[in-house]
Amino acid sequence: MKSIFFSLILVVSSFSYSQTQPTTKSVPTSESKYNVTINDDYSWLEQPNSIDVSTWVDAQNQFTNSHFEAIKKRYSLENKIKEYDELSTNGLPTKKGRYFYSMYRKDKDKPGILFYRKGLKDLSAEVFNPYKIYKSPTTTIAGYYPSRNSQFIAIQLTIDGSDRKEMRFADLNSLNPTNDVLKDIKFSNVVWKGDRGVYYKRNTNKNTIARDSTYQIYYHNLGQKQEEDELIYDATQTDGNVTFFKAESKMFIVETNEKGVTYRTIDLNSDSHEINDLIVNDTTEFDYRFFKDNTLYFSTKDYDWGEIRCKVMNNQSEAKVLIPQIYNHLLCNAIFLEKYIVCEYRTLGRNYISVYDYEGKFIRKFDAPLGCDFNIKFYNSETEDLFVSFYSYVVSFQNFKLNIRTGDINLYYNDYIIPKPTIFPLDYFETKVITYKSRDNKDVPITIVHKKGMKLDGNNPTLLSAYGGYGSVTSPHFDSALLCFLDKGGIFARAEIRGSGEKGLKWHRDGKGLKKMNTFNDFIDAAEFLIKEKYTSPSKLAITGGSHGGLVVGVAMTQRPDLFKVALPDVGVFDMVKFEEFTVGKYSVDEFGSVSNVEDFKNLYSYSPYHNIKPNVDYPITLIITGENDDRAVPFHSYKFAAKLQNNEGQKNPIYLKTEYKAGHSGKISNYQEFVQERAEFYSFLMYHLMGE
């Protein structure tokens, strides 16, 4: 009887605690910069390995999870998401080297497994299963790179979500893993030297959240220990950002530092690793596209919408424009085939493919369906078929063959890519791509998706999203969880605000550095547009964004808390005064400016979400999401932002923090069950607070 009594007391105590917002201690600190006093009461949360921080995170998660449990009594989406996933179609495999590769899940509680086919219609064979080696549901395949003759394959693995990866190898003849193990790989491509070994980048950070130190390229011969790998290139002294890639029989090394951009090459057919200068300290900021027959193909910063030029190396003649820019049509990508250059374009509401030959002669155009984007997967040179997957926010992958020679367009399916009817009729949802006016009279594109025929009376639950940084171009992303929200009467809107690249290079320049406030103003103006046009109202409007988009949400909710009912920033950065001190922040100085410059500092401080939380303001209901192993947007940004909001005088709306354990910048993606749970929690939270409890 006594044991039952104490058990009941324990349960009641646990329940009561889980319903109470955790308290966060305030430890006042301050510093002065350019005669500005910066107060920080929560800098103690910047210590990821601290027991105090770990205990605090656990308490925050318990509080948030108890709310999720309460929500499940009204909204439980996991089964519906799984149902929609079962009805969704699969995309085409990826062709690398000789073979076709796909990722499949045998067990929904374990990571995906890499399979390959020698022919497109062949049965697949298992190449690499990370669970067999690591026995961990959070070790996932991040990338794979076959050797020149597809004898071996290198597999990059993400451990518990971190950007610091490991590399393993498999023999594609025996389908057995080798004994080679490479560690501390970060932001690295893989280039093979024949079938003998690989070049890769190694990180030297001891502290995972310290300023990034990925400066070195190493060469690894298969069969040797990593300690024996040869250091090939070191940009430590110049603090340079180093990338590399393969073109024809050369490896190109690109180093960017304060002097400019330098291109160097290594002959992959040579037995040595001799490095040769190609272009040194270039300041014209051209973008490499391709290298073929001693000819460099590239774009410049001279044309906002993108063009392709070519120049024969070691030739003093001027580069010529091969494919000129098309005004208001963004050149998103160019794929260089044996006979053709395939250009991917987008303009307002439309995506299409234009094919040219190597003289710049136009061959053919293929349009994507309205509201759809596409992935070009591979090319069959014998039949001249381009294999493409089309998709949208509401339509899963539709696979086609586009014949460059004849222009024929045909659906593609086989025994494992099976055609299915769409989950909803094609006219069930309506997708609009329109523009709204910013406060300084710019036309900002916005995509709006909702049920066809929906009444626009200002009473519709709406989710507004954006990214807005680094010149990134946003594509639709099919999400079965979003379908649940839309089918229940929700509206989804995606704003292509300045700072992103959807309207070309100038669109990015006008939303970076000292002009970064344009990015946030455009997002706020999108919200006001949706309200003015009666799509929604402040009591029905939620905002979300990930990474840079998390910053956008943080600024918007602190600048205009009156506009939003709910805010869901995901893996964002919120302390812009300290951002560049940690991990990859140094690579973002060009995007945001540097606190070492007084003008940049004042601009950063003026919008930094953490520093612009004002006392006696009730900010929106907020769910802040981060990953404990996020070494890109380190989690203490989210911790400090949550703590200051929770302790803010006048804060009546609840502030929730969700820290995903054993996850990084991409969230819980390691196994299907956790991925579904994460999406279900997000949209259930959204619907609960916008559609009623």
Side-chain angles (χ1 to χ4, degrees):
M1 183 71 183
K2 184 183 289 186
S3 63
I4 294 174
F5 174 77
F6 280 117
S7 296
L8 286 172
I9 290 292
L10 188 63
V11 169
V12 171
S13 300
S14 174
F15 178 78
S16 301
Y17 175 75
S18 68
Q19 301 302 309
T20 305
Q21 181 173 282
T23 57
T24 305
K25 66 182 179 181
S26 173
V27 182
T29 63
S30 65
E31 66 172 314
S32 181
K33 192 177 285 288
Y34 307 113
N35 298 318
V36 175
T37 300
I38 305 167
N39 297 310
D40 190 347
D41 293 347
Y42 305 103
S43 59
W44 66 272
L45 289 169
E46 295 171 9
Q47 306 301 319
N49 299 320
S50 159
I51 294 176
D52 285 350
V53 173
S54 178
T55 302
W56 180 86
V57 169
D58 288 343
Q60 291 284 343
N61 270 353
Q62 187 174 0
F63 173 62
T64 300
N65 288 335
S66 69
H67 184 54
F68 287 152
E69 289 301 315
I71 289 174
K72 281 184 180 179
K73 296 174 183 178
R74 178 70 176 86
Y75 295 99
S76 183
L77 300 181
E78 287 189 32
N79 288 337
K80 182 58 71 173
I81 292 171
K82 290 176 181 178
E83 176 189 335
Y84 287 165
D85 284 346
E86 287 291 330
L87 295 171
S88 301
T89 48
N90 297 321
L92 291 160
T94 298
K95 188 177 185 187
K96 292 189 175 185
R98 294 180 177 180
Y99 304 140
F100 299 89
Y101 296 88
S102 300
M103 294 287 296
Y104 294 124
R105 297 183 190 272
K106 284 185 176 179
D107 189 323
K108 292 185 177 181
D109 292 321
K110 292 184 175 65
I113 301 168
L114 180 64
F115 288 79
Y116 91 118
R117 292 173 172 84
K118 291 187 176 180
L120 189 55
K121 297 181 180 181
D122 293 342
L123 292 175
S124 61
E126 182 179 308
V127 175
F128 191 86
N129 182 349
Y131 193 81
K132 286 183 178 178
I133 295 174
Y134 292 87
K135 304 301 180 186
S136 166
T138 55
T139 298
T140 59
I141 295 174
Y144 47 92
Y145 310 85
S147 63
R148 182 172 65 186
N149 296 307
S150 296
Q151 181 179 348
F152 298 98
I153 188 166
I155 301 107
Q156 280 201 38
L157 297 148
T158 296
I159 313 295
D160 294 339
S162 172
D163 279 333
R164 189 187 294 244
K165 295 177 170 56
E166 290 188 8
M167 194 186 304
R168 298 271 182 158
F169 298 82
D171 186 324
L172 284 170
N173 293 320
S174 66
L175 296 180
N176 290 321
T178 71
N179 294 323
D180 301 72
V181 182
L182 306 181
K183 297 179 180 291
D184 296 325
I185 295 169
K186 195 170 183 181
F187 306 137
S188 181
N189 189 17
V190 173
V191 168
W192 280 88
K193 198 174 184 69
D195 297 295
R196 293 176 293 167
V198 295
Y199 296 94
Y200 67 96
K201 282 200 298 184
R202 190 188 297 180
N203 179 272
T204 59
N205 282 82
K206 301 302 179 186
N207 181 343
T208 57
I209 69 168
R211 194 170 184 266
D212 186 70
S213 61
T214 310
Y215 299 113
Q216 298 173 329
I217 300 175
Y218 279 81
Y219 175 73
H220 172 77
N221 246 338
L222 285 184
Q224 70 184 23
K225 295 180 179 179
Q226 187 176 18
E227 295 76 24
E228 301 169 355
D229 289 353
E230 185 177 350
L231 177 61
I232 301 301
Y233 195 89
D234 192 350
T236 304
Q237 297 304 314
T238 60
D239 195 24
N241 180 24
V242 179
T243 59
F244 62 96
F245 54 87
K246 177 182 178 296
E248 290 193 323
S249 61
K250 297 182 184 297
M251 184 174 89
F252 286 70
I253 300 172
V254 185
E255 180 185 346
T256 305
N257 56 44
E258 61 181 10
K259 293 181 179 179
V261 182
T262 295
Y263 286 75
R264 298 183 169 98
T265 62
I266 293 176
D267 185 353
L268 296 174
N269 290 329
S270 170
D271 290 333
S272 74
H273 307 294
E274 181 182 354
I275 297 173
N276 299 293
D277 289 345
L278 183 66
I279 301 170
V280 178
N281 295 335
D282 177 78
T283 57
T284 60
E285 295 188 87
F286 74 90
D287 286 334
Y288 168 89
R289 295 281 186 179
F290 196 62
F291 188 83
K292 177 183 172 71
D293 298 333
N294 202 39
T295 301
L296 182 69
Y297 296 84
F298 61 98
S299 299
T300 70
K301 304 295 184 182
D302 297 336
Y303 297 96
D304 286 338
W305 298 97
E307 91 288 19
I308 296 178
R309 301 185 183 197
C310 64
K311 177 179 175 58
V312 177
M313 301 310 298
N314 305 319
N315 190 320
Q316 297 303 313
S317 62
E318 290 292 321
K320 72 173 184 177
V321 176
L322 189 67
I323 301 172
Q325 78 162 352
I326 306 171
Y327 186 74
N328 270 340
H329 293 237
L330 180 69
L331 176 60
C332 299
N333 191 23
I335 298 172
F336 292 77
L337 306 174
E338 183 180 350
K339 293 165 53 180
Y340 303 111
I341 302 173
V342 180
C343 295
E344 303 176 14
Y345 288 98
R346 68 181 295 170
T347 185
L348 190 66
R350 287 286 185 184
N351 294 282
Y352 65 91
I353 299 167
S354 285
V355 183
Y356 301 85
D357 67 16
Y358 275 87
E359 297 300 318
K361 178 185 175 183
F362 173 76
I363 304 297
R364 197 171 302 284
K365 179 185 177 187
F366 298 97
D367 287 301
L370 182 65
C372 285
D373 207 340
F374 54 85
N375 287 329
I376 297 175
K377 302 298 288 188
F378 50 86
Y379 174 68
N380 186 323
S381 59
E382 294 180 1
T383 63
E384 299 199 33
D385 283 320
L386 199 63
F387 287 75
V388 178
S389 292
F390 294 98
Y391 57 92
S392 75
Y393 286 113
V394 294
V395 177
S396 60
F397 294 108
Q398 306 296 308
N399 303 310
F400 285 84
K401 290 192 302 183
L402 314 179
N403 191 274
I404 293 177
R405 185 174 64 251
T406 65
D408 289 345
I409 302 173
N410 293 292
L411 272 167
Y412 179 80
Y413 55 89
N414 59 27
D415 290 342
Y416 65 91
I417 302 176
I418 302 170
K420 299 178 183 180
T422 57
I423 299 172
F424 294 96
L426 289 176
D427 61 350
Y428 190 76
F429 297 110
E430 181 179 357
T431 300
K432 307 172 187 173
V433 185
I434 56 178
T435 62
Y436 63 92
K437 288 290 186 182
S438 68
R439 64 193 66 190
D440 56 347
N441 206 38
K442 303 297 182 185
D443 289 317
V444 184
I446 186 169
T447 300
I448 305 172
V449 187
H450 56 73
K451 275 184 177 178
K452 190 172 183 179
M454 174 177 283
K455 184 179 179 181
L456 302 182
D457 57 3
N459 198 40
N460 301 306
T462 299
L463 178 63
L464 171 63
S465 174
Y467 184 76
Y470 303 97
S472 177
V473 178
T474 302
S475 294
H477 172 65
F478 175 74
D479 184 355
S480 53
L482 174 61
L483 290 182
C484 299
F485 176 65
L486 295 172
D487 189 40
K488 291 294 184 182
I491 294 176
F492 175 76
R494 180 83 178 185
E496 297 175 358
I497 56 183
R498 278 174 286 184
S500 61
E502 287 89 355
K503 293 184 71 173
L505 300 176
K506 188 175 187 301
W507 199 244
H508 175 214
R509 290 194 300 269
D510 286 346
K512 63 182 276 193
L514 296 176
K515 296 181 179 181
K516 179 53 79 173
M517 199 62 209
N518 286 334
T519 298
F520 312 125
N521 287 339
D522 284 355
F523 189 67
I524 292 168
D525 293 347
E528 294 191 319
F529 167 79
L530 292 170
I531 294 166
K532 178 184 175 184
E533 297 299 316
K534 298 202 177 295
Y535 285 96
T536 191
S537 63
S539 64
K540 293 289 185 178
L541 180 57
I543 51 175
T544 192
S547 194
H548 185 281
L551 169 65
V552 171
V553 171
V555 174
M557 64 179 281
T558 51
Q559 297 274 338
R560 289 294 307 277
D562 57 303
L563 276 182
F564 315 110
K565 177 70 177 291
V566 177
L568 302 106
D570 190 5
V571 294
V573 290
F574 306 107
D575 183 344
M576 297 307 293
V577 173
K578 290 187 175 180
F579 178 41
E580 68 182 277
E581 295 179 23
F582 298 91
T583 62
V584 300
K586 66 175 188 175
Y587 302 126
S588 296
V589 168
D590 184 60
E591 183 70 21
F592 297 108
S594 172
V595 292
S596 63
N597 176 284
V598 60
E599 192 175 14
D600 288 344
F601 163 76
K602 289 180 177 179
N603 187 52
L604 288 161
Y605 189 64
S606 72
Y607 65 74
S608 176
Y610 179 64
H611 300 97
N612 280 276
I613 297 172
K614 301 176 181 62
N616 300 314
V617 174
D618 189 19
Y619 292 96
I621 300 165
T622 302
L623 173 61
I624 302 165
I625 304 167
T626 188
E628 69 167 342
N629 294 325
D630 188 347
D631 39 11
R632 208 175 306 177
V634 290
F636 77 68
H637 283 278
S638 295
Y639 299 168
K640 290 169 61 175
F641 193 51
K644 192 171 182 180
L645 284 168
Q646 289 175 347
N647 284 355
N648 188 43
E649 295 177 15
Q651 184 65 42
K652 298 182 178 62
N653 288 320
I655 305 294
Y656 300 97
L657 172 68
K658 176 67 174 180
T659 302
E660 300 287 3
Y661 297 127
K662 294 188 176 182
H665 198 63
S666 299
K668 279 284 189 183
I669 61 171
S670 55
N671 65 75
Y672 179 72
Q673 191 60 45
E674 289 186 333
F675 174 75
V676 169
Q677 179 184 336
E678 183 182 65
R679 303 308 295 150
E681 287 176 349
F682 180 96
Y683 279 98
S684 295
F685 183 95
L686 179 70
M687 292 163 69
Y688 182 85
H689 289 289
L690 290 188
M691 296 180 176
E693 304 177 7

